[in-house]
Amino acid sequence: MHVSVALLYVALMAAPECTSLPTKGDSVRITTHSIVNIAQITLVHISKLKTKLQVVAEIQVRTPSIEGLAGISRDLGRLESELRSPFTDLLGQVEADLSSLEGRVRSLAAAMNCTTQARPTAAAAAAGDHSFPHSRLYLTLVRVQHYLETLVQNKDKLKVC
């Protein structure tokens, strides 16, 4: 009898801790970790694509600085829209990765009450210059790679609006 009462007491006392929802801090930490993981996976995808494209020259690019969630969301949206192209489907996985990454950054920004700009439209991407499409896409791929490497190094900026 005493054993069953003791088990019932332990079960009732442990139940709230086992069933509690994650706190806002836990949610931010988990989402930040997820964003960094997606960025690292995307970098692997880019590395494989660069090998497939067999471009020898290393291109130096400039990317925006990492300042906070609003800027990261804006920059990822722009890079994703630059990757959309009717000329090749090679970059589809990287585009999907960036879309997922940008969505998670927006979600994190909303959870932290940060304001973000509207997502770039497909029309903005279609309006770009279509001369030398493979070179343009390679250049964009290198820009995405550089931006994600910078993001992973500056992951503390994911805690700033």
Side-chain angles (χ1 to χ4, degrees):
M1 177 75 167
H2 294 294
V3 173
S4 61
V5 172
L7 288 175
L8 178 64
Y9 178 76
V10 169
L12 290 174
M13 296 308 287
E17 292 175 13
C18 295
T19 60
S20 65
L21 295 173
T23 64
K24 184 177 179 180
D26 290 339
S27 180
V28 167
R29 183 181 47 77
I30 290 166
T31 304
T32 301
H33 183 70
S34 174
I35 289 168
V36 171
N37 282 343
I38 293 171
Q40 290 172 329
I41 290 168
T42 306
L43 287 169
V44 170
H45 291 156
I46 290 170
S47 178
K48 288 180 180 180
L49 275 172
K50 286 174 71 177
T51 302
K52 261 186 190 177
L53 293 173
Q54 298 178 352
V55 178
V56 178
E58 272 302 312
I59 299 173
Q60 298 296 320
V61 295
R62 294 183 54 133
T63 56
S65 61
I66 308 285
E67 296 174 4
L69 289 170
I72 294 168
S73 174
R74 179 194 63 237
D75 298 337
L76 289 173
R78 286 181 182 161
L79 290 169
E80 179 193 354
S81 69
E82 286 180 36
L83 284 174
R84 290 186 199 118
S85 170
F87 299 107
T88 182
D89 61 346
L90 280 176
L91 305 180
Q93 182 61 54
V94 175
E95 183 184 336
D97 291 347
L98 277 185
S99 179
S100 176
L101 192 58
E102 199 257 346
R104 289 185 189 254
V105 169
R106 281 185 173 283
S107 173
L108 181 59
M112 295 177 63
N113 297 321
C114 301
T115 57
T116 56
Q117 296 177 350
R119 292 183 99 163
T121 63
D129 180 19
H130 294 300
S131 57
F132 305 106
H134 294 288
S135 298
R136 185 185 61 79
L137 288 175
Y138 184 79
L139 184 61
T140 301
L141 192 62
V142 171
R143 266 200 309 271
V144 170
Q145 178 183 17
H146 185 266
Y147 189 81
L148 292 180
E149 288 169 348
T150 305
L151 176 63
V152 169
Q153 291 172 352
N154 294 291
K155 60 187 171 193
D156 59 314
K157 298 294 184 171
L158 292 168
K159 297 175 184 170
V160 179
C161 285

